[in-house]
Amino acid sequence: MVKDFLKELEKGDLQQETERLLLKCIERLVLSDDLKDAMEQVLEAILGFYAADRAYVFEFDWDEGCMSNRFEVCRTGVEPEWEHLQNVSIALIAPWIDEFYAHGKRVYMIGDVEELKADPTRLREYEYLCRQGIRSLMTLPIYCGGLLYGFVGVDNPRRKLDRPVVLEHCTYVASNELHK
């Protein structure tokens, strides 16, 4: 009985933490005049919530067939990859694109990057992720005006993987602001 009470109390604390974080992110994005600063603050919040190494936003250039890292924040001690992630071929993440289209606005996760190397069609993707020190990741597509605009992601999330709601809601609000 005491264990059940403690579990419920913990759920309530997590729910409140989640709600506070979402409100903070929404406020930053909607009220800020500086999109870059607001996005970086939101990514910092996401980074902390998931205890991740990196949080970022990628933007697609469908005409050129490439994607670029538009915003990125890193945990202390983790090297930024921003400058290495400009004009990267979208073909590199073709399985992600397929998942984004198949499942709409749902989170796409790679729980263990090592599993990719067993699939010859994903070897290039595996090598690319490993070069950045990525062991796992969680991404969510961004749609603007009904079109796939890009994605938000976190590398090596260490906690609250069962709570994609933070990433989902922040991405929804971010997509509205990016669309503006």
Side-chain angles (χ1 to χ4, degrees):
M1 189 148 194
V2 172
K3 284 183 184 179
D4 291 340
F5 173 74
L6 291 174
K7 281 184 183 178
E8 286 303 311
L9 187 61
E10 195 173 284
K11 270 190 205 174
D13 288 346
L14 183 56
Q15 181 70 27
Q16 288 177 354
E17 178 187 1
T18 302
E19 289 171 3
R20 279 192 304 271
L21 180 67
L22 288 173
L23 286 173
K24 177 182 168 187
C25 291
I26 290 167
E27 180 181 278
R28 294 280 193 269
L29 284 167
V30 174
L31 299 179
S32 179
D33 291 334
D34 183 348
L35 179 62
K36 182 180 186 313
D37 182 55
M39 284 300 299
E40 287 176 356
Q41 288 181 37
V42 167
L43 291 174
E44 282 283 346
I46 291 170
L47 184 81
F49 186 81
Y50 292 106
D53 287 348
R54 268 185 219 97
Y56 44 83
V57 174
F58 270 79
E59 181 178 49
F60 295 135
D61 181 339
W62 292 107
D63 293 334
E64 297 295 323
C66 64
M67 60 183 175
S68 294
N69 187 333
R70 185 157 177 205
F71 305 101
E72 177 187 51
V73 296
C74 301
R75 180 175 58 83
T76 303
V78 174
E79 288 294 316
E81 291 290 331
W82 186 87
E83 66 184 56
H84 303 116
L85 299 173
Q86 302 303 311
N87 302 312
V88 177
S89 173
I90 291 174
L92 184 67
I93 61 162
W96 305 14
I97 304 293
D98 293 343
E99 286 292 319
F100 292 160
Y101 281 125
H103 299 290
K105 297 177 182 175
R106 278 200 359 221
V107 170
Y108 172 67
M109 292 182 68
I110 298 177
D112 184 358
V113 169
E114 288 298 315
E115 293 175 4
L116 298 178
K117 71 179 173 183
D119 181 348
T121 65
R122 297 187 79 175
L123 195 53
R124 195 165 150 240
E125 175 188 359
Y126 164 78
E127 291 168 350
Y128 197 74
L129 295 174
C130 284
R131 243 182 279 137
Q132 297 174 61
I134 300 171
R135 296 176 304 284
S136 63
L137 60 84
M138 187 165 56
T139 62
L140 192 78
I142 298 173
Y143 288 91
C144 288
L147 301 173
L148 183 58
Y149 173 87
F151 62 93
V152 174
V154 293
D155 293 344
N156 307 324
R158 291 174 182 78
R159 64 182 177 147
K160 299 180 184 157
L161 300 176
D162 62 333
R163 308 284 296 176
V165 67
V166 169
L167 195 59
E168 290 167 349
H169 288 298
C170 288
T171 300
Y172 175 75
V173 175
S175 71
N176 287 334
E177 295 306 306
L178 290 167
H179 187 66
K180 288 178 187 176

